[in-house]
Amino acid sequence: MKCFIDFDGTLATDDGFINDENIKIIQERANEFVLVAGRNVSQITKIFREYKISIPAIGGNGAFSLKK
């Protein structure tokens, strides 16, 4: 089963911050999560680099997907 997580305003605060507890859970259980966002490819890959997250993603309001 996959858990699809909205990024802006759900996983992350309004200023784009993800708390440490959520990051740890995503890193430990990466095969269970898919990030969903209205953001473009470069914005999503920046999030992944910044938080050291490697999970699949759907971006651009459903226009594209990224494999982990």
Side-chain angles (χ1 to χ4, degrees):
M1 180 187 292
K2 296 284 185 184
C3 179
F4 290 77
I5 311 166
D6 175 59
F7 184 77
D8 294 297
T10 305
L11 176 63
T13 59
D14 290 337
D15 61 355
F17 176 77
I18 305 173
N19 72 46
D20 292 338
E21 183 179 350
N22 286 342
I23 293 168
K24 183 178 177 183
I25 291 168
I26 292 169
Q27 290 170 337
E28 290 174 352
R29 302 174 75 179
N31 62 334
E32 298 177 20
F33 292 100
V34 177
L35 180 73
V36 181
R39 295 172 180 240
N40 64 38
V41 172
S42 63
Q43 292 169 318
I44 291 173
T45 55
K46 181 181 175 185
I47 293 164
F48 287 170
R49 281 192 310 270
E50 182 177 342
Y51 290 105
K52 297 181 177 112
I53 297 171
S54 180
I55 61 175
I58 298 171
N61 293 319
F64 64 88
S65 63
L66 300 171
K67 293 184 179 182
K68 72 176 189 179

